[in-house]
Amino acid sequence: MRRRLRIVHVGPDALADVVALHRRCSAYTLWSRYHRAMGDPETYLGTLLGRPGALHLAVRVPHSGLVAIGHVMPDGDRAEVALLVQDGWQNQGLGTRLLRRLACESRRLGWAELYGLVLPGERRISAMLRHGDVAADHVTEHGVTTVQVATSGLGTVCGTRCADAIRAFGAVRR
Ligand SMILES: CC(C)(COP(=O)(O)OP(=O)(O)OC[C@H]1O[C@@H](n2cnc3c(N)ncnc32)[C@H](O)[C@@H]1OP(=O)(O)O)[C@@H](O)C(=O)NCCC(=O)NCCS
């Protein structure tokens, strides 16, 4: 099954598939992602997928559609990373694989810092970062923890294949 997973770029034309992914997620998973009740995903995902300069990668599985999605969203000279894995597909390494690819492409695009917003006590993101030699800053304010890493430190999370891809695409600006 794992060999049939594909990580694909998605954009506004994938709106229906991304909406369907959100509708298959539990309220708890959506709360963990957005930290608030979001209502009908059709009302906000078009804006998210159309956000200028943003990068969206998803995991596609034959006969199951999209089962996970990750975003990198520019915010000044850094960028926010967000991940969503469908409940039945969690804890199988998909979030880690998406983060690696997003880190790889972020470095290629020249973002110096990435940050993610997680609920306090969320240990899976920290577990992912422990795979690399990455020093992460954690700041908790108003019930949300910001986890920030320098993309220059993401090389080992990114992995050799990504590092090769970065070299192939050219210089990293920062
Ligand atoms: C958080 C999330 C992205 C992680 O993706 P995932 O595919 O489920 O995670 P992975 O399978 O890649 O596992 C990541 C690590 O967390 C560890 N982990 C899993 N469950 C854990 C738990 N309850 N406590 C501590 N670590 C845990 C895994 O063992 C793995 O570490 P390892 O590789 O050292 O074994 C996913 O669960 C998700 O979408 N959750 C809801 C939305 C969310 O919280 N998004 C993050 C904020 S934007």
Side-chain angles (χ1 to χ4, degrees), residues 104-111 151 162-174:
C104 172
E105 301 218 9
S106 296
R107 289 184 66 197
R108 176 172 65 79
L109 292 167
W111 282 310
T151 54
C162 290
D164 289 345
I166 290 167
R167 276 193 290 276
F169 275 109
V172 178
R173 286 210 306 267
R174 298 168 197 263

Side-chain angles (χ1 to χ4, degrees), residues 27-111:
Y28 176 76
T29 286
L30 292 174
W31 185 272
S32 301
R33 161 66 180 88
Y34 293 101
H35 314 151
R36 58 188 184 275
M38 293 295 286
D40 182 355
E42 257 184 25
T43 61
Y44 58 86
L45 286 175
T47 305
L48 174 59
L49 293 172
R51 199 164 149 162
L55 166 70
H56 315 282
L57 294 176
V59 178
R60 183 179 291 286
V61 179
H63 313 300
S64 297
L66 301 184
V67 299
I69 190 163
H71 316 271
V72 177
M73 298 164 283
D75 179 9
D77 64 352
R78 58 184 195 156
E80 179 184 349
V81 181
L83 296 169
L84 177 72
V85 180
Q86 187 179 318
D87 292 66
W89 290 85
Q90 291 178 9
N91 302 328
Q92 299 178 46
L94 298 189
T96 302
R97 288 172 67 176
L98 269 180
L99 183 63
R100 283 180 179 157
R101 279 286 301 274
L102 290 167
C104 172
E105 301 218 9
S106 296
R107 289 184 66 197
R108 176 172 65 79
L109 292 167
W111 282 310

